[in-house]
């Protein structure tokens, strides 16, 4: 999440343009995105739900596909909207998320998702 924040600060011209276009929607979207991430971490870490673990992994592989598709599209058409630095931040943050999702499936993490008896 820190890398995404740094990305917004580095590409402040785009961020400020989105904020100027619709300030309330932009702020609400940022808060909603943060709340969804916190809720998802709560599902995986505190509630130990197995389906959330699998959905996390699937979503990260989906993001890797989207990044690959975006790179192909940028190479084909040029880059009219984003910057190359923004794409680097996207690749780094997705790589970290994918690493974290893969760590959910290590041998040490597997017992964590076995339902506990009270």
């Amino acid at each position: 999440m820190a890398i995404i924040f740094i990305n917004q600060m580095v590409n402040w011209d785009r961020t400020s343009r989105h904020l100027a276009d619709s300030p309330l929607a932009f702020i609400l979207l940022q808060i909603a995105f943060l709340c969804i991430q916190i809720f998802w971490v709560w599902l995986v870490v505190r509630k130990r739900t197995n389906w959330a673990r699998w959905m996390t992994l699937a979503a990260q592989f989906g993001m890797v596909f989207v990044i690959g598709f975006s790179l192909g599209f940028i190479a084909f058409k040029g880059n009219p909207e984003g910057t190359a630095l923004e794409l680097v931040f996207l690749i780094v943050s997705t790589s970290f998320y994918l690493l974290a999702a893969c760590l959910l499936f290590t041998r040490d993490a597997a017992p964590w998702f076995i339902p506990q008896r009270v």
Side-chain angles (χ1 to χ4, degrees):
M1 289 178 7
I3 292 174
I4 293 171
F5 179 73
I6 292 169
N7 178 27
Q8 287 186 345
M9 293 300 112
V10 169
N11 295 305
W12 183 249
D13 55 335
R14 259 183 93 189
T15 304
S16 63
R17 188 179 57 217
H18 291 305
L19 184 60
D21 289 346
S22 55
L24 183 62
F26 181 78
I27 292 171
L28 288 177
L29 186 65
Q30 296 298 318
I31 292 171
F33 184 68
L34 180 65
C35 290
I36 289 170
Q37 283 188 325
I38 291 171
F39 175 69
W40 204 260
V41 168
W42 177 79
L43 276 177
V44 173
V45 176
R46 294 290 181 196
K47 296 299 278 183
R48 301 178 182 187
T49 54
N50 197 32
W51 64 267
R53 178 173 71 145
W54 283 99
M55 288 297 295
T56 301
L57 186 66
Q60 294 314 308
F61 277 115
M63 276 303 293
V64 169
F65 172 76
V66 166
I67 289 173
F69 182 74
S70 299
L71 283 173
F73 186 72
I74 288 170
F76 179 69
K77 284 225 163 197
N79 190 2
E81 185 66 25
T83 63
L85 187 59
E86 187 173 4
L87 191 59
V88 168
F89 280 122
L90 181 64
I91 291 169
V92 169
S93 66
T94 302
S95 300
F96 283 152
Y97 277 124
L98 185 59
L99 175 65
C102 289
L103 288 175
L104 292 173
F105 291 90
T106 60
R107 195 175 328 150
D108 294 340
W112 180 264
F113 292 97
I114 296 173
Q116 303 292 318
R117 293 185 183 188
V118 179

